[in-house]
Amino acid sequence: MLEEPSLAVPQWSLTRISQFCEPQRIAVIGTGYVGLTAAACLASLNHDVVCADISESRIEQLSKGIVPILEEGLSDLIREMTTIGRLRFTGSNSEAVSNAQFVFLCLPTPEGADGSADLSAIEAVSLEIGPYLLANSVVINKSTVPVGTTFFVRDLIDRDDVDVASNPEFLSEGSAVRDFLQPDRIIIGAQSPDVAIRIADLYGDSSQPRCIVVDIASAELIKYASNAYLATRLTFINSIACFCEAVGADIRTVSQGMGADRRIGPSFLNVGPGWGGSCFPKDTQALIHMAEKVGCQLPLVKATVEANDEHMRHVATKVARAVGGSVTNKAVAMWGVTFKAGTNDIRYSPALKIANLLTGWGATVTAYDPSMPGPIEGIRLVSSKEEACRGADVLFVATEWPEFASADLAAIGEVMSNRVMVDSRNVFAIDEAINAGFEYTGMGIGNMRALVDESAK
Ligand code: UDX
C-alpha cells in the first residue's frame, strides 16, 4: 500500500512571498482537535471554511455552538467565525469538498492492533471525496500519517487534475489555537513549489518566514520524528530524576542547568509521571512499526516507550512506599485524571495508568479533575479536591492543574486520614507541604531529608 520514499529529495525554499492573504474556499474533513482548530483558525485568517464530520450528533452540536472539547479560546473562536458566516458545519464530506479550492484531511489515525497507524478513516474519505473535488484543488493531509500515505491518498482520489500535499499539524492540546496561529514552523510537503506556495499563502504573510517546504515523505516523517524526539527527551529526564533520587541530587536544578545550554534549551525538561496523550504513545508505536516494515530498527524509540511504562510503575511504587510499602486496602486520593493540565482528554493518561496499577495492588482510588471527565472504570470520580481527600491515606498529585498549586494544604490535611503526599509533577513547594504537616515525596528530589530539615529551621 505505501510507496517507497523517493530518493530524490527536493528542498525548495519559497520563491515568492505573497503580499496579502487572499480568501480561499476551504473544506476541513474531521472535527477532532486538529480539524476544529484548523477550521476555526483558517476562518479567522479570512478564509471561507466548511468543516465536515460523519458524526451527525457532533455536527448538530457544533452548529449550535456547542464545542465538545476543552481548548482555550477555541469555543469563542468557533462561535465568532460561525456568527460572521466564515465557518459552517456539515455532515456531508462530498458537499463540503464540492466547492473547495483546498481540502484539509484532519482525520483520526488511531493505533491499530499491531501498533501501526490505522488508516481506515483516511482511506474511506479519500475514496468518497475523489469524484467531487474541483479541478485544480489541493488535498492536504494534516493528520499524522505514515510516510507514503499522501501518495496513497493521491492514488485513492485518482484525479490527475488535483494535487495532494502534506502539511502536518504540531499543535499541543491546551494551546492549540495559539500553536496554529503562531507556529514555530509550518511544514509543507508538496510535489511542486507552486502547490507549496498556494498552501503557504493560506497562512497569511506573517507566517511565511516560518514555512519550511520539503518533499512529501520528509514532511510526513518530521511529525513522527518530532514527537518521538520529545517523548525521548521526557523519558530521559524522568530517568535522570530516578537517578537524582538515588544520589541526592535535585532534578529541578539539573533540568535548569541542562536547559541553560542553548544546544539543549529549557522546554520539555519537566519531570512528571510519564508522558501520555493522544499523540506520543500512538506516534512512537507507529514510528517503530513503520521503521520495522522497511527493515530499520529504532532501538532508542523502543527503549523510550519501555522506559516510560517502567517510569509509571516507579511512580506507583512511590505511592505504595509513602504508605508503608503496600497500598492494599489504602485509600488513595488522586488529583488530576487528564494526561496533562488544560485539557479534558484522558487518552493514554499516565494518571489513569498509575491508578490502574494502584487498584490492581488493592487500593481504592478517588479522583478529582477540574475538567470533570465522565465516569471512568475502576476509580471513583468526585467533584472537588477536598472530597477526593476525605479519609484518604495518601494524596497522589498526578496532573499539574493550576488550581492544585493554590490549594489550602492545611485544610486538605484536616480531612485526610494521614497527611501523606506524592507529588509526581513537583507542583508544591516542599516547605509549603511540610509546613501543612504533610510527609511529602516529590519527583527526582534526592536530598529530601536536607530540604525537610532546612524548612524546619
Ligand atoms: C504533543 C506534541 O507536543 C504536539 O506537537 C503534537 O502535535 C501532539 O502531541 P500534546 O499531546 O498535546 O502534544 O501534549 P504535550 O504538551 O506535548 O505533552 C505530552 C506529554 O508529555 C504529556 O503527558 C505531558 O504531561 C508530558 N510532559 C510534557 C511532561 O511530562 N513534561 C514536560 O516538560 C512536557
Side-chain angles (χ1 to χ4, degrees):
M1 177 200 78
L2 300 180
E3 276 195 5
E4 279 213 352
S6 156
L7 289 176
V9 181
Q11 189 84 34
W12 304 298
S13 61
L14 288 179
T15 51
R16 180 174 67 84
I17 303 290
S18 70
Q19 296 307 302
F20 55 91
C21 183
E22 194 65 64
Q24 304 286 343
R25 297 185 309 277
I26 297 175
V28 175
I29 314 289
T31 61
Y33 271 97
V34 173
L36 280 181
T37 307
C41 292
L42 287 165
S44 79
L45 290 170
N46 215 22
H47 301 299
D48 181 9
V49 182
V50 52
C51 191
D53 201 292
I54 47 167
S55 165
E56 277 175 28
S57 59
R58 202 159 167 110
I59 291 300
E60 205 182 303
Q61 281 197 320
L62 286 164
S63 301
K64 288 183 196 152
I66 304 167
V67 179
I69 54 178
L70 177 68
E71 190 57 58
E72 201 184 343
L74 185 60
S75 298
D76 288 346
L77 191 60
I78 288 175
R79 280 193 281 270
E80 194 188 327
M81 291 302 122
T82 45
T83 305
I84 62 173
R86 282 219 293 269
L87 173 63
R88 69 183 177 87
F89 295 95
T90 174
S92 165
N93 292 338
S94 53
E95 186 253 322
V97 304
S98 59
N99 196 31
Q101 295 151 297
F102 297 87
V103 177
F104 282 91
L105 299 183
C106 303
L107 294 158
T109 52
E111 189 177 328
D114 59 356
S116 64
D118 176 351
L119 297 180
S120 48
I122 300 255
E123 185 171 356
V125 169
S126 303
L127 284 172
E128 181 190 354
I129 62 174
Y132 299 96
L133 293 165
L134 283 184
N136 297 321
S137 59
V138 186
V139 175
I140 304 155
N141 226 329
K142 239 191 196 314
S143 322
T144 303
V145 291
V147 177
T149 305
T150 303
F151 290 125
F152 175 54
V153 167
R154 179 196 61 193
D155 294 345
L156 293 169
I157 285 174
D158 196 20
R159 289 274 302 266
D160 292 341
D161 56 349
V162 171
D163 280 293
V164 292
S166 167
N167 174 214
E169 184 51 59
F170 297 93
L171 60 81
S172 288
E173 292 184 20
S175 55
V177 173
R178 192 190 60 213
D179 291 345
F180 190 98
L181 293 173
Q182 293 162 356
D184 288 345
R185 79 299 206 193
I186 297 167
I187 301 291
I188 300 172
Q191 283 183 289
S192 77
D194 281 352
V195 172
I197 288 165
R198 284 177 68 195
I199 297 169
D201 280 348
L202 297 176
Y203 289 92
D205 289 349
S206 61
S207 294
Q208 294 212 352
R210 292 191 288 264
C211 283
I212 300 173
V213 180
V214 296
D215 63 286
I216 288 176
S218 299
E220 291 169 329
L221 189 51
I222 286 169
K223 174 66 196 249
Y224 281 104
S226 301
N227 277 356
Y229 172 75
L230 290 170
T232 305
R233 191 170 155 106
L234 290 175
T235 290
F236 178 83
I237 210 68
N238 287 337
S239 307
I240 295 293
C242 295
F243 186 51
C244 285
E245 289 169 8
V247 297
D250 186 332
I251 192 65
R252 298 167 301 176
T253 317
V254 173
S255 290
Q256 211 180 358
M258 284 173 63
D261 184 327
R262 264 181 305 171
R263 295 167 304 174
I264 296 174
S267 306
F268 268 70
L269 290 180
N270 291 325
V271 68
W275 44 263
S278 64
C279 292
F280 285 3
K282 89 172 164 59
D283 292 351
T284 44
Q285 287 295 353
L287 180 59
I288 291 167
H289 191 271
M290 232 188 297
E292 272 173 358
K293 257 181 107 173
V294 292
C296 177
Q297 299 298 317
L298 295 176
L300 183 58
V301 183
K302 282 184 191 163
T304 290
V305 172
E306 280 166 23
N308 192 46
D309 286 342
E310 194 44 50
H311 182 71
M312 291 189 237
R313 181 171 275 273
H314 168 73
V315 176
T317 307
K318 280 169 81 93
V319 177
R321 274 205 212 111
V323 292
S326 165
V327 286
T328 307
N329 297 325
K330 299 286 184 192
V332 179
M334 186 167 81
W335 280 3
V337 164
T338 52
F339 79 97
K340 64 174 186 179
T343 176
N344 59 353
D345 197 339
I346 59 169
R347 284 175 288 177
Y348 292 92
S349 168
L352 292 179
K353 288 208 164 191
I354 293 164
N356 274 341
L357 286 170
L358 295 171
T359 53
W361 296 341
T364 55
V365 176
T366 305
Y368 165 70
D369 190 282
S371 75
M372 297 298 288
I376 297 169
E377 209 186 312
I379 62 173
R380 192 166 73 90
L381 277 168
V382 293
S383 55
S384 74
K385 298 188 284 289
E386 294 76 12
E387 218 181 321
C389 288
R390 204 169 302 283
D393 295 296
V394 55
L395 167 59
F396 165 45
V397 182
T399 312
E400 74 284 24
W401 286 95
E403 74 162 75
F404 297 160
S406 60
D408 178 350
L409 283 185
I412 293 293
E414 288 290 319
V415 302
M416 293 179 69
S417 289
N418 296 305
R419 294 183 188 217
V420 178
M421 185 197 308
V422 176
D423 179 0
S424 72
R425 302 264 188 183
N426 292 340
V427 165
F428 289 100
I430 298 168
D431 55 352
E432 184 194 353
I434 287 169
N435 291 339
F438 276 84
E439 270 176 46
Y440 178 87
T441 308
M443 287 293 291
I445 307 170
N447 208 355
M448 191 71 77
R449 197 64 257 160
L451 292 163
V452 172
D453 294 345
E454 184 62 29
S455 103
K457 278 183 197 161

